[in-house]
Amino acid sequence: MELIKQNSPVLFFFNPSKKWLVKISKKEALHTHIGILKHADAIGKEYGSKIITNKDKYVYLLKPTMYDYIMKIQHGTQIVYPKDLGYIVARAGIQNNQKIVEIGTGSASLTSFVASIVKPRGHVYTFDVDENFMKIAAKNLKKCGMEKYVTQQNLDIKTVKKVPLTDADVALIDLGDPWTVVPQVRQMLKGSGAVFAICPTMNQLEKLTMALVENEFTDIESTEHILRTIDAREGKTRHSFQGIGHTTYLCFARKAFFDRKSKNKSESEGKKEPTEKPKKITKKPVKKPAKKTLTKTKIKSSSSK
Amino acid sequence: MELIKQNSPVLFFFNPSKKWLVKISKKEALHTHIGILKHADAIGKEYGSKIITNKDKYVYLLKPTMYDYIMKIQHGTQIVYPKDLGYIVARAGIQNNQKIVEIGTGSASLTSFVASIVKPRGHVYTFDVDENFMKIAAKNLKKCGMEKYVTQQNLDIKTVKKVPLTDADVALIDLGDPWTVVPQVRQMLKGSGAVFAICPTMNQLEKLTMALVENEFTDIESTEHILRTIDAREGKTRHSFQGIGHTTYLCFARKAFFDRKSKNKSESEGKKEPTEKPKKITKKPVKKPAKKTLTKTKIKSSSSK
Amino acid sequence: MELIKQNSPVLFFFNPSKKWLVKISKKEALHTHIGILKHADAIGKEYGSKIITNKDKYVYLLKPTMYDYIMKIQHGTQIVYPKDLGYIVARAGIQNNQKIVEIGTGSASLTSFVASIVKPRGHVYTFDVDENFMKIAAKNLKKCGMEKYVTQQNLDIKTVKKVPLTDADVALIDLGDPWTVVPQVRQMLKGSGAVFAICPTMNQLEKLTMALVENEFTDIESTEHILRTIDAREGKTRHSFQGIGHTTYLCFARKAFFDRKSKNKSESEGKKEPTEKPKKITKKPVKKPAKKTLTKTKIKSSSSK
Amino acid sequence: MELIKQNSPVLFFFNPSKKWLVKISKKEALHTHIGILKHADAIGKEYGSKIITNKDKYVYLLKPTMYDYIMKIQHGTQIVYPKDLGYIVARAGIQNNQKIVEIGTGSASLTSFVASIVKPRGHVYTFDVDENFMKIAAKNLKKCGMEKYVTQQNLDIKTVKKVPLTDADVALIDLGDPWTVVPQVRQMLKGSGAVFAICPTMNQLEKLTMALVENEFTDIESTEHILRTIDAREGKTRHSFQGIGHTTYLCFARKAFFDRKSKNKSESEGKKEPTEKPKKITKKPVKKPAKKTLTKTKIKSSSSK
């Protein structure tokens, strides 16, 4: 049995919309609409127990999960919601021990969740260019205990000469213009490695998809995830009246080797694949044409509207 | 770089609806509508590379993820889909190192996915009463390499005298009548531990919710997850015409201690919580009244229609 | 061209969430956050024109449609929303010239909309038992000019001895317990006539469906209608962040003649349908057993599957 | 009571996916999987009655509604579905007696439904340029008895010098490039009149919205309508497993007078609206600049935000 002590993290839970995430500190108290919550009252109790406020309201002492941290995260930007976090992990097959790269740390909601899955041996390398967000992210990572499993760096992946790492299992992109980093992401990924991008607009999905095809990704899938809550009550079960709005779209793909150059070559040779040296042939087209590619994508896409 | 060799798992990927999951075996070949796929052609190639069929079609050699295993799982029952698997992990905060109990193994899609998250130090204990499903499940667990992290047992949790384990972080229920095992699930969980039930009907959500309240669970949430795919194409982006149907509803809750008995007691004592021995007071009401409770739930619920 | 004059109805439209429905009255003015809207400014202008407030904001003078009336209706109860109103008309094939019966007038949103479709020769007969709602409904019907096409009556259809009308094309039910009036609704409908019920909970759909089967309705269909709004903006098109919540479920069916009695008879006669007198045979079982039926539904509802 | 006779339209209804729409013809019979349906068996029966096939299956004789005609329509193109038809009528406030213009007749599903609402005194004027579709449409209109209320014309509205009609209450556009006819549609509409466009892609919504703003429409709203069916069965109520896919998006707007020209003028006059002659001022800018406008939309669409 796990008892709450000084410095234990606790979610004071009154109801789904009234809950407070704290670190227990003997002398502190939380003043709320439902009364005063004295930290000291929680000490020595088992997680799941309740305390009573001075207004006679029961508050449960829950052990915070990554979900609770994310829903209470301090965010300067839009966070990635659990419904989307979950699908990212399930679709990309993220597991402990993996090496993850993330472009665009934001408030670190995605970073934290993914770190909680790949730890203790896996690691998340996350890049951002905004010092303010980086500070918020660092604070958030620390709060949920994930800072050891994450390396934050101020680096603009779009313009980087040499990518800071390779052989990543999964790459995550959370930028306004995700298509601009596809060539770099490709270089950082293992063969067959997955990429996931957070795309709030349909236009981003469209441009990104074009860039992914151009940069030899396959199994490309764009999705939208709708979570509806249900009020299950005796004799009165129905969906909740409370609305659900848009959060974001997601775009997934896996790195492949299209061997375009070799294909052209091989055309004159009767379509035989030069299987003896797949590496050189496949690696080269990635680095350079990829950059041209992007330019092309831009030109095309602007004329397409 | 990871090269494919004899016995490597490979997903032959032609397109999202034409893909084959195999273990490479030098002398085998797969006869498909798009031509013959010779396993030998894959050997020595990097994951992500392609091979060409005798009908001149390109097939990519992807490294199977847990998603691929689950979507190709042999199932005697309805599987749990990735959109739901992901939310279960995200909402319950499942991480490596946890102890998970599952009632109703089914085809082991949920079992496998959760095992992939809690491994290598965590463990899934799964119970079923159908020998046939248990065999299918064992086969599926082996295929995706999760058998070491899972203990399967033929045990009817509903009628068990003594629960086979305690202190689980998360309990998963995939039964037609999930409400019948709520008291046992409660005994197996840690304080504040989470339960998730797979409920294909609204009626199950309703009965289960009543049983959860009766058995002192809090933060109860019923949800439905809709995944829509989007065809992102230049100048023609829209949702896919291909439909999305119902899979299941999900019900989540966390174990709390309502201290009902103590509350009655304490009423005469001026509402002071007997905080000195929370264990005995809270544990006892669980075992026995819980069983009565269920009977009540049944009676009530039948009359409620 | 239609010019606005004294007493013309006008929708002052600033944006989708700031709009006011008025009847022009020379000396009136509307004081709003965006400034003062003088009715007099609208007089003599064409519908679609704009006026300017004293805060220099443009407000368009739209001609109110039934949609505008319904969205601005005074309601003591939940209104039926346009997405549902539209489907009711489209699924039931409501057209002008039809005879419609409605049980449960509520705020008359459904009444008004249906009247606007069946007018000028069709008619809506609507029944309620709550005098207060009936007054609100009468006011709302008058406001949108539909009072001539609607007959309101204070009558409890559940307990009525003789139904007040027959040969209705379509029956609409908006009650908490819609299943209780199915036998009466059946008597009021033409053969093949449609019934639509507004059901806010899944439990209502379930009970109503059982009563519809028991009372010889066919083509039974339960649906839910989700309207999502899209922010279509250059380069930034996406679903709206603003949520969409639950409003109601709908249940549709058409009156058939199952000839259960005749079937029993005919069983001894080698299953020949006594086609020579379909009327008597079919009508009789409706009136009386229908009442028993409901009781039966409750008791042996398990046999109805 | 309405009895079925020679030439009566009948929907032979076995279940929601097995139903046949026929005109009764004494000597005909329909050969189906569930047996032979003899038309003669239906003659003399009341709508709602049943007949029995030679395979002992019951088939109900329903009276076809506009819904049945539309779902059974012969279509060379994608039809507009009832969920969307209904919303169009409800949102635009379509009623009998109105004058409707439609650009792009297609298979006439929308045409037929709208005609069924505006008849007998209202009228639909529909334009198309494809002779083949026009023939299919004519046949479909005749089948559901709407041909008297519809005027079909082979005319390319995009390039027309003079619009064929004015003062329409509502305009419907079902073209691949709906934005190209917005200036013409504007000329055909009354002030405050509504336009609805059927847009299968997000890109169309985006371009159309820009053209609508440019052409002085207000209350612009893009929506998507999702219909989910529910299997309501005793103790097993849930959404249907059968999927629901994308059909189309809808774009609505109302004609306003922005008075851009007058605004420029009035700027030098201290923002007084020249309210004394709103007609001339507002009408003129419509016709000519509207054409230029479109060109502008294409070139400098970025400035339209």
Side-chain angles (χ1 to χ4, degrees), chain D residues 9-233:
Chain D
V10 168
L11 181 74
F12 287 127
F13 182 88
F14 180 64
N15 69 31
S17 54
K18 285 204 174 120
K19 48 188 182 184
W20 301 266
L21 189 55
V22 301
K23 185 188 269 191
I24 293 298
S25 175
K26 227 175 285 188
K27 294 178 185 165
E28 279 189 43
L30 206 63
H31 291 253
T32 75
H33 279 103
I34 57 160
I36 298 169
L37 303 168
K38 288 188 202 157
H39 285 211
D41 290 353
I43 293 177
K45 295 210 166 180
E46 187 179 353
Y47 277 115
S49 304
K50 67 183 179 191
I51 58 173
I52 307 184
T53 72
N54 63 330
K55 289 188 179 170
D56 240 17
K57 300 288 184 195
Y58 295 135
V59 171
Y60 293 97
L61 306 168
L62 301 181
K63 188 171 178 184
T65 61
M66 193 49 60
Y67 175 89
D68 300 314
Y69 285 111
I70 287 165
M71 297 308 275
K72 287 290 179 190
I73 221 166
Q74 185 200 342
H75 51 286
T77 55
Q78 171 89 359
I79 67 163
V80 182
Y81 284 93
K83 66 184 178 66
D84 298 311
L85 294 174
Y87 189 71
I88 289 170
V89 163
R91 182 65 174 93
I94 296 178
Q95 302 185 5
N96 53 73
N97 233 338
Q98 292 185 336
K99 188 191 211 174
I100 312 286
V101 58
E102 182 187 45
I103 328 261
T105 312
S107 312
S109 58
L110 178 53
T111 328
S112 305
F113 182 65
V114 170
S116 81
I117 302 296
V118 301
K119 78 179 174 60
R121 300 234 187 110
H123 204 82
V124 183
Y125 298 87
T126 186
F127 302 95
D128 212 316
V129 293
D130 185 312
E131 285 288 353
N132 285 330
F133 284 145
M134 288 182 70
K135 276 176 203 158
I136 292 174
K139 222 168 118 186
N140 288 332
L141 285 166
K142 201 171 172 194
K143 205 176 277 172
C144 61
M146 290 301 134
E147 77 275 27
K148 314 186 263 257
Y149 314 113
V150 176
T151 302
Q152 277 191 284
Q153 197 181 335
N154 184 329
L155 186 68
D156 189 354
I157 295 291
K158 282 178 220 179
T159 57
V160 83
K161 291 262 160 65
K162 191 178 174 321
V163 294
L165 61 95
T166 57
D167 282 321
D169 293 283
V170 175
L172 307 166
I173 314 178
D174 193 357
L175 296 179
D177 46 3
W179 55 88
T180 59
V181 296
V182 171
Q184 292 82 358
V185 157
R186 182 178 176 82
Q187 287 177 267
M188 290 191 268
L189 279 175
K190 280 183 185 168
S192 189
V195 60
F196 244 117
I198 313 298
C199 295
T201 75
M202 285 277 180
N203 309 72
Q204 289 169 319
L205 288 182
E206 192 172 313
K207 284 188 197 171
L208 177 59
T209 297
M210 290 188 285
L212 287 167
V213 170
E214 198 62 39
N215 284 277
E216 309 195 358
F217 280 82
T218 191
D219 197 11
I220 302 174
E221 178 199 83
S222 290
T223 57
E224 175 187 20
H225 298 264
I226 301 173
L227 177 153
R228 302 183 71 196
T229 55
I230 295 160
D231 287 357
R233 287 177 309 171

Side-chain angles (χ1 to χ4, degrees), chain C residues 19-46:
Chain C
K19 48 188 182 184
W20 302 266
L21 189 55
V22 302
K23 185 188 270 191
I24 293 297
S25 175
K26 230 177 285 188
K27 294 177 184 164
E28 280 188 42
L30 205 64
H31 291 252
T32 74
H33 279 103
I34 55 161
I36 298 168
L37 302 167
K38 290 188 201 154
H39 286 210
D41 290 352
I43 293 178
K45 295 210 168 182
E46 188 179 354

